[in-house]
């Protein structure tokens, strides 16, 4: 990641009227603001010395105009027209050097400037305008060069990350590093897709995101700077610098560079705004499941991602072998608010957010009924956000237990449906359980025993139903009997004895859990 020791404010390509008045050379002229004091933060783009009454025709906006008023003295009309001409040309300010033409601030010019909101400054001591012009112009040139250098440094750093195949988060971290403030990427509905910056500062932004999102289409101010994301006539999101401390023009330049890079990253990576939504949901649900980040700290992220969180019932689900895109489509089809994210090992987490008066069991069943060839594991509904992580872990545990091959399960599987299999999944990493499984199954734990192990698994899962086992393995009853005899011989057990069969069954469940 690139670094810079240059203060953000020094990169601004312009100076404000206030900053010009604080320059040492200007202070030597004893400046006094006599009108337009509320507009001193206007940007000064350039400095001109001009005396003519129609000075505005020579300006293009943003200039600080210096004058002695020698051609205006004694003519109130010319004085008023001079100020009006500056106002029409959108000049930044006018500086009048007091002296022979005007020994005191002229009331006509002062009143006209106040009405227009044009900052008017008088210098009480003689001051060579050439020195002020030279000082300001030199500073503006240096600042513009610094701004261009910063812009190119940002572009180079981001392009390097893109060509190296860096993920979106790395780009955003680089942008946050250069901007020194939180960075937020949203879709067109103002739902947060990604963030970067100091965690506490980002959380403060997300905590107030509903208000910020409502104002997102308004004018920029107080360091809130936006740039649109899109291309080929299509807008699909925006990036926002939240509380940028530097000059607005520099912040806008930085935001534009960031937007260009994000669009390029999307194009080269073949990703879409929707995939960014998936990454956002995956990050949130992964953090919830892991428990590394307290649920309370994740609440602003969930709210900003568009998940309703106030007075809701949360239903944690984990779907085995489900396509996240299909699950999201089913949620939208049923009108169920929720987020979907792929976890690992073929498991996809779904967190439903239902109104308190909705029937969670019925809606979960409707959701499961829309899916094909998948197992939906559910935890009991939670009404407190802090309980959601435990619910997701419970649903994950149920899904893991089901994955090892339980038969005849309901469409929505809960903890009570996995019985002994669920307990074994919890204990699978215990060394005592592992040694027990190896000891009980020792005669079959070899390549030659794979087929017999599969028969044993089916035989025990069907409640020692020989007819059903033979049917499932497509063998005759006599052939099955011979395999069962071989299994009993290798293990040294009698599978007709309930206790011995139960012991082998528990060992097999433990073995499958460890392998799974």
């Amino acid at each position: 990641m690139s670094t810079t020791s240059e203060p953000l404010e020094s990169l601004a390509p312009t100076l404000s009227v206030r900053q010009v008045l604080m320059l040492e050379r200007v202070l030597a002229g004893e400046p006094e603001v006599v009108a337009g004091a509320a507009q001193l933060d206007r940007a000064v783009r350039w400095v001109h010395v001009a005396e003519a009454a129609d000075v505005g025709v020579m300006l293009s906006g943003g200039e600080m105009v210096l004058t002695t008023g020698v051609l205006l003295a004694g003519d109130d009309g010319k004085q008023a027209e001079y100020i009006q001409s500056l106002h029409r040309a959108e000049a930044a300010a006018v500086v009048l050097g007091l002296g022979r033409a005007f020994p005191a601030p002229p009331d006509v010019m002062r009143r006209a400037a106040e009405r227009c909101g044009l900052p008017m400054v008088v210098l009480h001591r003689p001051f060579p305008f050439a020195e002020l012009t030279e000082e300001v112009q030199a500073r503006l040139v240096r600042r513009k060069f610094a701004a261009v250098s910063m812009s190119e440094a940002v572009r180079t750093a981001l392009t390097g990350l893109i060509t190296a195949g860096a993920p979106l988060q790395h780009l955003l971290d680089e942008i946050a590093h250069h901007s020194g403030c939180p960075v937020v990427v949203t879709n067109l509905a103002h739902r947060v897709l990604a963030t970067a910056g100091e965690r506490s500062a980002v959380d403060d932004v997300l905590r107030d995101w509903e208000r910020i999102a409502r104002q997102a289409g308004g004018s920029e101010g107080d360091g809130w700077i936006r740039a649109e994301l899109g291309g080929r006539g299509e807008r699909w999101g925006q990036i926002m610098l939240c509380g940028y401390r530097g000059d607005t023009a520099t912040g806008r330049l930085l935001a534009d560079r960031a937007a260009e890079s994000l669009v390029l990253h999307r194009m080269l990576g073949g990703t879409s705004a929707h995939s960014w939504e998936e990454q956002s949901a995956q990050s949130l649900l992964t953090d919830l499941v892991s428990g590394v980040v307290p649920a309370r700290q994740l609440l602003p992220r969930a709210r900003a991602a568009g998940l309703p969180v106030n007075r809701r019932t949360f239903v944690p689900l984990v779907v085995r072998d489900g396509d996240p895109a299909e699950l999201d489509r089913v949620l939208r089809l049923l009108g169920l608010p929720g987020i979907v994210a792929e976890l690992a090992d073929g498991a996809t987490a779904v967190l439903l957010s239902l109104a308190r008066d909705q029937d969670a069991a019925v809606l979960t069943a409707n959701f499961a009924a829309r899916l094909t060839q998948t197992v939906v594991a559910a935890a009991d509904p939670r009404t407190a956000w802090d309980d959601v992580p435990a619910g997701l872990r419970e649903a994950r545990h149920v899904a893991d237990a089901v994955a090892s091959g339980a038969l005849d399960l309901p469409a929505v599987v809960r903890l009570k449906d996995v019985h002994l299999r669920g307990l074994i999944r919890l204990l699978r990493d215990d060394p005592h359980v592992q040694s027990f499984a190896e000891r009980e199954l020792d005669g079959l734990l070899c390549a030659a025993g794979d087929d017999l192990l599969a028969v044993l698994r089916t035989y025990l899962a069907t409640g020692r139903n020989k007819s059903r086992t033979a049917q499932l393995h497509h063998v005759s009853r006599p052939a099955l009997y011979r395999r069962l005899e071989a299994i009993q011989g290798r293990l040294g057990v009698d599978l007709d004895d309930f206790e011995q069969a139960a012991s082998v069954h528990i060992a097999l469940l433990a073995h499958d859990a460890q392998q799974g």
Side-chain angles (χ1 to χ4, degrees):
M1 181 177 293
S2 61
T3 60
T4 177
S5 57
E6 189 87 31
L8 289 171
E9 290 79 0
S10 71
L11 298 178
T14 60
L15 287 166
S16 68
V17 175
R18 191 187 310 276
Q19 288 172 318
V20 172
L21 296 181
M22 294 302 294
L23 295 177
E24 187 175 347
R25 290 189 181 183
V26 180
L27 289 174
E30 297 182 8
E32 178 189 0
V33 179
V34 297
Q39 303 296 324
L40 294 182
D41 290 323
R42 282 184 174 182
V44 176
R45 188 182 59 81
W46 212 241
V47 177
H48 278 297
V49 179
E51 305 286 356
D54 59 349
V55 62
V57 299
M58 297 182 291
L59 307 179
S60 57
E63 294 89 354
M64 173 177 278
V65 177
L66 312 180
T67 181
T68 62
V70 66
L71 299 181
L72 306 174
D75 191 327
D76 291 352
K78 285 185 177 181
Q79 294 174 29
E81 175 56 28
Y82 187 84
I83 297 297
Q84 288 292 336
S85 180
L86 294 177
H87 172 63
R88 289 192 296 269
E90 299 182 348
V94 59
V95 177
L96 174 66
L98 299 181
R100 185 179 58 182
F102 291 103
D107 285 340
V108 172
M109 293 179 69
R110 182 184 57 79
R111 288 196 299 269
E114 193 65 51
R115 285 194 300 270
C116 294
L118 175 70
M120 178 175 174
V121 181
V122 297
L123 300 175
H124 288 277
R125 297 187 64 181
F127 186 89
F129 284 166
E131 291 186 11
L132 174 58
T133 302
E134 178 185 2
E135 174 80 9
V136 174
Q137 313 295 50
R139 286 177 178 264
L140 289 175
V141 169
R142 287 199 300 270
R143 284 169 174 256
K144 288 182 178 180
F145 178 77
V148 171
S149 297
M150 181 276 296
S151 174
E152 289 307 308
V154 172
R155 174 182 281 159
T156 300
L158 295 179
T159 302
L161 289 173
I162 293 171
T163 55
L168 169 66
Q169 190 61 52
H170 288 187
L171 270 70
L172 296 180
D173 290 340
E174 182 75 12
I175 295 165
H177 168 73
H178 281 281
S179 66
C181 67
V183 175
V184 176
V185 176
T186 73
N187 62 13
L188 292 180
H190 306 302
R191 291 187 176 181
V192 174
L193 305 181
T195 62
E198 184 182 347
R199 190 71 260 166
S200 60
V202 171
D203 287 344
D204 287 342
V205 170
L206 296 184
R207 200 170 289 115
D208 200 28
W209 186 252
E210 291 183 6
R211 179 187 64 81
I212 294 170
R214 286 196 298 270
Q215 298 176 351
S219 59
E220 295 175 346
D222 298 326
W224 298 87
I225 300 173
R226 293 176 300 278
E228 301 295 333
L229 299 176
R232 299 177 182 174
E234 176 193 11
R235 287 176 55 245
W236 43 268
Q238 68 175 4
I239 181 170
M240 181 181 290
L241 308 185
C242 305
Y244 180 71
R245 299 190 306 274
D247 178 80
T248 299
T250 304
R252 191 174 294 115
L253 184 63
L254 177 57
D256 289 342
R257 290 290 174 268
E260 291 171 5
S261 297
L262 295 188
V263 172
L264 180 61
H265 180 272
R266 177 188 170 190
M267 292 173 59
L268 294 181
T271 58
S272 64
H274 181 68
S275 71
W276 285 4
E277 293 181 29
E278 292 174 349
Q279 292 175 32
S280 175
Q282 183 177 43
S283 173
L284 174 60
L285 287 178
T286 299
D287 285 345
L288 280 170
V289 171
S290 69
V292 173
V293 182
R296 182 59 51 183
Q297 293 183 20
L298 296 172
L299 189 58
R301 283 172 58 188
R303 184 183 288 111
L307 185 73
V309 295
N310 295 330
R311 297 187 58 78
R312 307 291 290 185
T313 296
F314 302 102
V315 183
L317 308 174
V318 171
V319 181
R320 270 288 167 192
D321 303 319
D323 178 7
E326 180 192 2
L327 300 180
D328 188 61
R329 180 185 60 79
V330 172
L331 285 185
R332 296 176 189 273
L333 183 65
L334 297 176
L336 297 177
I339 51 178
V340 179
E342 189 172 3
L343 299 178
D345 302 326
T348 301
V350 180
L351 181 60
L352 302 181
S353 175
L354 308 176
R356 293 284 175 87
D357 59 354
Q358 291 181 291
D359 191 323
V362 170
L363 292 176
T364 302
N366 290 344
F367 173 73
R370 295 273 183 168
L371 307 177
T372 58
Q373 297 181 338
T374 58
V375 173
V376 178
D380 292 334
R382 265 63 174 175
T383 56
W385 175 257
D386 287 344
D387 295 334
V388 168
L392 286 167
R393 288 192 289 271
E394 178 183 316
R396 180 66 182 272
H397 163 63
V398 173
D400 284 346
V402 172
S404 55
L407 304 176
D408 302 323
L409 290 169
V412 179
V413 187
R414 304 183 186 279
L415 192 60
K416 63 182 179 61
D417 298 314
V418 295
H419 306 296
L420 178 62
R421 189 180 301 273
L423 176 63
I424 295 300
R425 294 293 295 189
L426 287 177
L427 300 176
R428 62 182 174 178
D429 294 326
D430 188 297
H432 295 90
V433 174
Q434 293 174 353
S435 61
F436 168 77
E438 291 180 7
R439 184 171 61 251
E440 290 288 301
L441 301 175
D442 182 58
L444 296 180
L445 296 180
C446 61
D450 284 349
D451 182 57
L452 296 178
L453 199 63
V455 171
L456 175 63
R457 183 180 293 110
T458 305
Y459 180 62
L460 296 174
T462 59
R464 295 184 292 172
N465 186 320
K466 294 183 175 67
S467 297
R468 179 65 174 152
T469 302
Q471 181 182 22
L472 290 173
H473 282 270
H474 308 290
V475 297
S476 64
R477 289 284 293 269
L480 176 66
Y481 293 158
R482 289 193 294 271
R483 296 185 186 186
L484 290 176
E485 288 175 359
I487 291 170
Q488 294 180 106
R490 289 195 179 199
L491 298 181
V493 299
D494 179 3
L495 293 179
D496 290 329
D497 180 89
F498 176 78
E499 184 173 339
Q500 293 184 54
S503 181
V504 172
H505 194 184
I506 291 172
L508 186 56
L509 290 176
H511 169 75
D512 289 345
Q514 292 157 16
Q515 298 302 310

